[in-house]
Amino acid sequence: MTSIEKPNNLLVDLHVKYIQSLDTKKDDLEYWFTEHLRLSGVYWGLTALDLLKNVNTLNREDVVKYVVSCQHDNGGFSGHIGHDPHLTHTLYAVQILVIEDALDSVNTEKIVEYVKSRQDPQTGAFTGDEWEEIDTRFSYCAISCLSLLKRLDAIDVKKAIEFIMLCKNFDGGFGNTPGAESHAGQIFCCVGALAIVNSLHLIDADLLSWWLCERQLKNGGLNGRPEKLEDICYSWWVLSALSILGRLHWINKEKLIEFILAAQDPESGGFADRPGDMVDIFHTLFGIAGLSLLGYPDLKSVDPVYCLPKYVVQRIGLAEKYHI
Ligand SMILES: [Zn+2]
């Protein structure tokens, strides 16, 4: 990488080719190692392609058929055919079907039942599956999923908010459980969930936004918590929260754009976690989504709450009403 110039503009065609190539890598060892991530990979790739104005690159019929085959009798979805269902994968499935405008291909009432069954009636918290501990990530998955299905009435929203607020820290941020340290990923989940249920007034927006801004390092990149390395996926978690709180202008956008663009692979496309590392589909979506939030030209706008293209969120009638 050192001898090659770091890219300073968005390599759209290369990224489209890179995402397309993942679909045909079935003989690669890498493909089998990531089997449990297959459904999430489809969500990351499809959303990235849509933001790049190339959503039709993946065959709609194949995508929908695959998602449908990951649904279980209890309504939940697994990361791949034959694996156990999980709340996170259930959200990915719904997000993919919303992008493809294909919610009518699955039993949505069963999805609602599954999500509802993951809430603890006592605490309002959610578990990811029958084995896993509670985590604010799962609160976001449940609330985002039911909001996209217009069925928030199925859960105890008041209790869900109470649990999220128990995870708020003195620095204005949120952790995964009560008392756990603030982390940008969890902050996105909690701010996003509170935005959906019209409860942003519970956040100390100035205090939290200062914490979020302090994540920007000298090289322009953002980290997820103090003393950690910068990473492109954190630019999404931090930026989306700042955007929802109406304070995106509090960070140096030019330096961050430069950092994100430098993490592209100039030969075969895709984004890495930071310049010079190996690319992957997860960081490719969050690099592109981050650039979209920063207003980079020639990209569709991304919705900071749902991490879906904005036009998709508008198409299902979820108007952007969450600014503080
Ligand atoms: Zn990362």
Side-chain angles (χ1 to χ4, degrees), residues 231 233 273 282-283:
D231 183 325
C233 65
D273 55 355
F282 174 82
H283 290 94

Side-chain angles (χ1 to χ4, degrees), residues 54-251:
N54 272 273
V55 71
N56 295 326
T57 308
L58 293 185
N59 182 290
R60 180 179 182 270
E61 211 178 308
D62 289 350
V63 168
V64 174
K65 210 168 121 193
Y66 174 68
V67 175
V68 170
S69 68
C70 292
Q71 190 175 27
H72 289 247
D73 289 343
N74 68 359
F77 288 78
S78 49
H80 189 46
I81 303 160
H83 291 232
D84 290 334
H86 195 283
L87 193 50
T88 313
H89 297 303
T90 304
L91 173 60
Y92 289 138
V94 169
Q95 286 171 313
I96 295 167
L97 295 173
V98 168
I99 293 177
E100 297 287 22
D101 200 8
L103 273 176
D104 56 359
S105 316
V106 289
N107 186 333
T108 51
E109 201 39 52
K110 281 215 148 242
I111 303 177
V112 173
E113 266 172 49
Y114 174 76
V115 176
K116 184 184 159 84
S117 74
R118 302 262 55 86
Q119 187 174 34
D120 175 357
Q122 302 301 318
T123 62
F126 286 84
T127 48
D129 60 19
E130 54 188 306
W131 314 111
E132 223 162 341
E133 294 158 59
I134 54 168
D135 192 308
T136 45
R137 270 188 304 144
F138 307 139
S139 300
Y140 170 78
C141 290
I143 288 174
S144 178
C145 189
L146 291 182
S147 166
L148 291 170
L149 297 174
K150 319 272 179 63
R151 285 302 313 276
L152 275 170
D153 59 295
I155 53 163
D156 189 336
V157 171
K158 194 166 161 272
K159 283 244 173 222
I161 296 172
E162 274 170 25
F163 174 74
I164 292 173
M165 294 315 293
L166 280 180
C167 301
K168 187 182 164 192
N169 292 318
F170 68 91
D171 55 16
F174 295 84
N176 59 340
T177 50
E181 74 170 311
S182 296
H183 183 289
Q186 252 71 36
I187 291 171
F188 158 76
C189 290
C190 294
V191 173
L194 291 171
I196 292 171
V197 296
N198 292 319
S199 297
L200 285 177
H201 59 278
L202 298 173
I203 295 173
D204 190 336
D206 281 341
L207 183 66
L208 174 53
S209 299
W210 274 118
W211 188 93
L212 291 167
C213 291
E214 281 167 359
R215 305 282 57 78
Q216 189 162 35
L217 305 176
K218 277 205 185 79
N219 62 11
L222 304 174
N223 63 14
R225 54 199 158 125
E227 315 296 330
K228 296 286 173 187
L229 280 177
E230 68 285 358
D231 183 325
I232 272 192
C233 65
Y234 293 125
S235 50
W236 167 259
W237 313 124
V238 171
L239 281 182
S240 54
L242 279 174
S243 169
I244 297 165
L245 297 172
R247 287 160 177 78
L248 200 51
H249 56 288
W250 283 21
I251 56 143

